[in-house]
Amino acid sequence: MPRTVVSTASTAWNGDLISGSGSTTLETSQLGTMDLSWKARSEDAEQGTTSPEELIGAAHSACYSMQFSNTLAENDTPPTSMKTSAKVSFNAGEGGITGIALTVTAQVPGIEDADFQRLAEEAKQTCPVSKALAGVEITLEASLG
């Protein structure tokens, strides 16, 4: 029987958008607190400061990896390893996320590339985070490594 699991994060912000700053905390896992700033979001990332887009990228790459590994296992071709990145593009002038580029490389014994590509796309379509971000163009580049 399905059950709902709730994960919680929070953010504290001080000041206005441009000169203000804040921090976001992973409350459920208690893994840490990360600093935030507009500069990290609108310019090159500051060392030690994150942005909502980087956090979305982390969530998307993690979710996609889990979904794709399950999709491959259901095909009787489980991966031995996988690395996924998600590049989230943000238009600072208009305030919108304009796209997400997923890139995955996996070692999957006994699979043909055509099947690998089909299953990679299927995982993109069924990944819960991909579904949540359906209003944004998501591209996928998948390769066997």
Side-chain angles (χ1 to χ4, degrees), residues 17-137:
L17 175 63
I18 304 301
S19 63
S21 63
S23 61
T24 193
T25 301
L26 304 177
E27 293 180 350
T28 302
S29 64
Q30 299 181 0
L31 285 174
T33 298
M34 293 154 277
D35 292 333
L36 302 164
S37 73
W38 173 251
K39 185 176 180 183
R41 190 173 198 190
S42 63
E43 300 175 20
D44 289 333
E46 295 177 287
Q47 194 83 22
T49 305
T50 192
S51 68
E53 291 72 30
E54 184 178 34
L55 296 170
I56 288 170
H60 202 178
S61 64
C63 185
Y64 179 81
S65 293
M66 291 176 173
Q67 185 69 26
F68 191 24
S69 68
N70 187 58
T71 302
L72 287 164
E74 288 177 345
N75 188 62
D76 294 325
T77 53
T80 56
S81 66
M82 181 180 305
K83 183 171 182 181
T84 305
S85 69
K87 293 182 181 179
V88 179
S89 299
F90 176 73
N91 185 328
E94 296 178 9
I97 294 174
T98 58
I100 301 171
L102 291 172
T103 303
V104 61
T105 302
Q107 293 184 355
V108 185
I111 195 168
E112 296 295 323
D113 188 61
D115 289 330
F116 178 79
Q117 296 300 324
R118 177 181 54 79
L119 294 170
E121 184 62 32
E122 179 182 320
K124 183 185 95 168
Q125 299 302 323
T126 57
C127 165
V129 173
S130 292
K131 289 180 180 182
L133 299 170
V136 176
E137 180 184 4

